[in-house]
């Protein structure tokens, strides 16, 4: 009889503990990049809590690899930091089984300079710094080609490298550096121009529309995305997160933070 009573008490204790445990159905973890996006996601957190009773935990990385690894390892439920071509490239390389649940913004990549006022001032043999990350490098080369500064071989798609350059009429020196260091190269006396993506240029107080010598347009294929694993793409909290992100309040915050450089992608 005593054993039965103890078993019953244990079962009751387990039930009580389970009943008192936090409800994770209303919490979602999202990985992003450090920088201006953090202010946008603070607004996401506010709207989610006030309007959807959804708790959004944001984890920031100063890195382009870790947010996807965190998603694959189930440390987060979603991430929002990467363009569609980058996601495609990384999925092929690393075998990710991810789902795009919403497009977010196009953050136009642009060319900046502390030395030139207009592109016509670019001299023969000038040094240009570019990201050494594959997708951003390809994006930068395509932008240089659109300006007629280089020519790439046919059929390179979204991931050309410097080896794909078939014409370089100004004999430009293209130097690849770590993406977070690009803004620092603007102060290098040997660097005439740097191609920088908006996430990092904004951290240095630069605006593509205001400060860029030239930039991508609204037709850019490099729209960013909100990404989940295939297995959780239809979760209710993910659906709520999409609604929050596409709200007028979040769009207004993005336009404020990026000073007009954030182009709505949905």
């Amino acid at each position: 009889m005593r054993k039965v009573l103890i078993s019953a008490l244990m079962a009751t204790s387990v039930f009580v503990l389970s009943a008192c445990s936090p409800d994770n159905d209303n919490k979602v973890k999202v990985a992003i990049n450090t920088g201006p996006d953090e202010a946008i996601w603070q607004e996401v957190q506010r709207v989610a809590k006030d309007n959807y009773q959804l708790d959004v935990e944001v984890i920031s990385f100063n890195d382009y690899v870790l947010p996807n690894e965190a998603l694959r390892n189930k440390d987060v439920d979603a991430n929002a930091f990467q363009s569609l071509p980058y996601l495609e490239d990384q999925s092929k390389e690393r075998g990710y089984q991810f789902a795009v649940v919403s497009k977010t913004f196009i953050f136009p990549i642009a060319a900046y300079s502390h030395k030139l006022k207009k592109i016509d001032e670019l001299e023969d043999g000038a040094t240009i710094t570019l990201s050494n990350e594959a997708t951003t490098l390809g994006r930068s080369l395509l932008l240089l080609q659109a300006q007629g500064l280089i020519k790439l071989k046919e059929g390179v798609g979204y991931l050309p490298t410097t080896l794909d350059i078939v014409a370089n009429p100004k004999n430009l020196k293209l130097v690849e550096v770590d993406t977070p260091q690009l803004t620092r190269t603007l102060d290098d006396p040997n660097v005439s121009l740097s191609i920088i993506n908006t996430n990092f240029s904004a951290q240095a107080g630069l605006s593509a529309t205001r400060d860029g010598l030239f930039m991508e347009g609204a037709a850019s294929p490099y729209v960013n995305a909100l990404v989940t694993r295939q297995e959780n793409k239809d979760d209710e909290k993910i659906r709520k997160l999409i609604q929050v992100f596409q709200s007028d309040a979040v769009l207004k915050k993005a336009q404020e933070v990026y000073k007009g450089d954030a182009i709505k992608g949905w």
Side-chain angles (χ1 to χ4, degrees), residues 2-257:
R2 185 180 177 186
K3 289 183 179 179
V4 173
L5 180 60
I6 291 173
S7 297
L9 287 171
M10 289 177 66
T12 302
S13 298
V14 170
F15 174 78
V16 171
L17 288 172
S18 298
C20 294
S21 63
D23 184 1
N24 288 325
D25 288 343
N26 286 324
K27 183 174 183 178
V28 59
K29 293 183 179 181
V30 184
I32 68 168
N33 270 159
T34 55
D37 281 4
E38 290 174 298
I40 296 172
W41 280 88
Q42 287 174 2
E43 183 67 7
V44 170
Q45 289 174 309
R46 185 192 68 77
V47 174
K49 188 71 172 176
D50 291 350
N51 298 345
Y52 294 87
Q53 293 73 55
L54 181 68
D55 291 321
V56 180
E57 181 179 344
V58 177
I59 302 171
S60 301
F61 295 94
N62 190 27
D63 182 277
Y64 276 107
V65 175
L66 293 178
N68 276 333
E69 287 299 302
L71 182 58
R72 174 159 64 180
N73 295 335
K74 300 184 179 181
D75 295 325
V76 298
D77 302 298
N79 67 41
F81 76 102
Q82 62 195 322
S83 69
L84 293 179
Y86 179 80
L87 173 61
E88 180 181 348
D89 175 60
Q90 289 295 292
S91 297
K92 289 178 181 177
E93 181 179 326
R94 298 173 182 268
Y96 294 136
Q97 298 296 315
F98 294 158
V100 174
V101 294
S102 176
K103 294 177 181 178
T104 59
F105 295 100
I106 298 168
F107 299 109
I109 201 167
Y112 299 91
S113 177
H114 284 175
K115 302 173 183 64
L116 310 180
K117 297 298 183 182
K118 52 185 179 180
I119 194 59
D120 293 344
E121 297 172 3
L122 186 66
E123 297 179 354
D124 289 358
T127 296
I128 297 177
T129 53
L130 312 169
S131 170
N132 61 5
E133 182 276 311
T135 305
T136 310
L137 171 62
R139 188 177 181 182
S140 301
L141 293 172
L142 290 169
L143 183 60
L144 289 174
Q145 177 174 249
Q147 291 295 311
L149 295 173
I150 61 171
K151 184 177 180 181
L152 301 166
K153 66 183 180 183
E154 297 291 332
V156 292
Y158 298 131
L159 294 172
T161 71
T162 52
L163 297 176
D164 296 313
I165 298 173
V166 295
N168 182 0
K170 282 184 171 287
N171 296 309
L172 300 171
K173 298 175 183 176
L174 305 181
V175 178
E176 299 175 29
V177 302
D178 291 341
T179 309
Q181 305 303 318
L182 286 170
T183 55
R184 295 184 181 182
T185 68
L186 292 172
D187 294 321
D188 187 325
N190 296 315
V191 175
S192 297
L193 195 71
S194 185
I195 311 295
I196 310 173
N197 56 345
T198 308
N199 187 51
F200 290 99
S201 61
Q203 292 183 54
L206 298 170
S207 163
T209 53
R210 184 191 66 219
D211 305 306
L213 293 182
F214 51 88
M215 59 180 279
E216 288 175 325
S220 169
Y222 291 90
V223 61
N224 280 21
L226 180 64
V227 178
T228 68
R229 294 180 299 278
Q230 286 286 349
E231 67 199 50
N232 70 327
K233 65 179 182 179
D234 296 320
D235 286 0
E236 178 62 24
K237 59 187 178 182
I238 297 298
R239 285 198 288 268
K240 288 181 179 179
L241 182 64
I242 295 168
Q243 290 177 296
V244 172
F245 198 92
Q246 294 182 357
S247 67
D248 289 342
V250 172
L251 175 59
K252 182 179 179 181
K253 174 58 71 171
Q255 292 172 337
E256 172 190 317
V257 168

